[in-house]
């Protein structure tokens, strides 16, 4: 695992060491040899990060970003944030995932077993890329749930609100009803609660 793109190189090196990876100062160098690129930066620096990353042609991209700007949540009026970002990454095999839960919660939840494993939602317009990302999610200790294409994934995007999975914990037993609702164009069931 290679980490890159940080305004604090020492912190990046420490995080890389903590996860058993390495840090590279040049994002284009890191991206050039990668098969999968996890794109996890604040919304306001996406353009800068993309410029430094260079070509994403043929790379599977896992976009973890959420559309929060200086004045709060950004509404793309008829377009999902995933569609918006996919268009900014021409040639990439774009997916969106790991964006609905906080990093701290995800770190804790990755240790769970059995029926208590937590869902990570996935969307993207490349079915093979989604399948690969679902495999990576399973390896990371979560349950992968494929919501389909970028046009219908608004339930997994900010802000936290009724009728969305963003900011909410889900487990496999409750996920299929969400998938069916999204694919059927209807409202998702009420958010489950777990003791």
């Amino acid at each position: 695992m290679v980490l890159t793109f940080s305004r604090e190189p020492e912190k990046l090196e420490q995080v890389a060491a903590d996860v058993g990876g390495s840090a590279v100062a040049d994002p284009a160098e890191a991206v050039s040899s990668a098969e999968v690129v996890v794109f996890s930066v604040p919304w306001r620096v996406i353009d800068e990060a993309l410029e430094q990353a260079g070509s994403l042609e043929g790379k599977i991209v896992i976009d973890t970003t959420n559309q929060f700007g200086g004045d709060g949540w950004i509404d793309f009026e008829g377009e999902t944030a995933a569609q918006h970002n996919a268009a900014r990454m021409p040639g990439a095999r774009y997916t969106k995932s790991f964006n609905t839960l906080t990093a701290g919660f995800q770190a804790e939840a990755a240790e769970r077993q059995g029926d208590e494993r937590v869902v990570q939602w996935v969307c993207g317009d490349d079915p093979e890329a989604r399948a690969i990302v679902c495999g990576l999610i399973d390896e990371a200790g979560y349950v992968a749930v494929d919501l389909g294409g970028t046009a219908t994934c608004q339930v997994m995007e900010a802000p936290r609100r009724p009728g969305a999975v963003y900011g909410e914990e889900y487990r496999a037993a409750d996920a299929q009803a969400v998938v069916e609702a999204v694919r059927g164009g209807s409202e998702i069931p009420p958010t489950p609660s777990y003791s």
Side-chain angles (χ1 to χ4, degrees), residues 1-2 30-31 33-39 56 58-63 93 95 129 132-133 136:
M1 176 185 317
V2 177
V31 167
S33 59
E35 293 178 33
V36 177
V37 175
V38 178
F39 196 76
L56 294 168
K59 309 287 184 186
I60 294 174
V61 172
I62 303 171
D63 177 12
R93 301 176 69 193
T95 65
I132 291 168
V133 171
L136 294 172

Side-chain angles (χ1 to χ4, degrees), residues 31-32 34-41 46 49-50 53-65 81-82 85-99 121-126 128-134 136-137 150 156:
V31 167
S32 69
E35 293 178 33
V36 177
V37 175
V38 178
F39 196 76
S40 191
V41 300
I46 289 176
L50 287 172
S55 174
L56 294 168
E57 184 74 36
K59 309 287 184 186
I60 294 174
V61 172
I62 303 171
D63 177 12
T64 73
T65 66
N85 274 356
R88 296 162 93 172
M89 303 179 193
R93 301 176 69 193
Y94 178 91
T95 65
K96 185 169 194 84
S97 191
F98 291 99
N99 70 300
W121 307 94
V122 181
C123 77
D125 297 327
D126 180 328
E128 184 182 16
R130 288 196 320 259
I132 291 168
V133 171
C134 284
L136 294 172
I137 288 168
T150 59
M156 65 183 282

Side-chain angles (χ1 to χ4, degrees), residues 4-161:
T4 190
F5 190 75
S6 175
R7 290 182 183 8
E8 301 176 48
E10 298 81 18
K11 186 175 180 181
L12 182 68
E13 288 177 13
Q14 182 59 55
V15 171
D18 290 347
V19 299
S22 60
V24 174
D26 180 12
E29 178 185 337
V31 167
S32 69
S33 59
E35 293 178 33
V36 177
V37 175
V38 178
F39 196 76
S40 191
V41 300
W43 191 268
R44 69 183 181 282
V45 298
I46 289 176
D47 289 333
E48 180 184 350
L50 287 172
E51 184 179 314
Q52 290 186 31
S55 174
L56 294 168
E57 184 74 36
K59 309 287 184 186
I60 294 174
V61 172
I62 303 171
D63 177 12
T64 73
T65 66
N66 288 304
Q67 69 276 25
F68 289 105
D71 297 323
W73 173 64
I74 302 167
D75 184 357
F76 292 106
E77 300 178 15
E79 180 180 58
T80 65
Q83 286 175 300
H84 182 81
N85 274 356
R88 296 162 93 172
M89 303 179 193
R93 301 176 69 193
Y94 178 91
T95 65
K96 185 169 194 84
S97 191
F98 291 99
N99 70 300
T100 63
L101 301 167
T102 66
F105 180 81
Q106 290 181 64
E108 176 269 319
E111 303 297 321
R112 295 186 186 174
Q113 301 294 316
D115 294 342
E116 293 187 1
R117 291 177 72 208
V118 172
V119 165
Q120 291 286 358
W121 307 94
V122 181
C123 77
D125 297 327
D126 180 328
E128 184 182 16
R130 288 196 320 259
I132 291 168
V133 171
C134 284
L136 294 172
I137 288 168
D138 287 336
E139 287 177 22
Y142 307 98
V143 176
V145 176
D146 185 344
L147 280 177
T150 59
T152 58
C153 71
Q154 64 274 11
V155 299
M156 65 183 282
E157 296 184 340
R160 188 173 190 176
R161 63 201 182 279

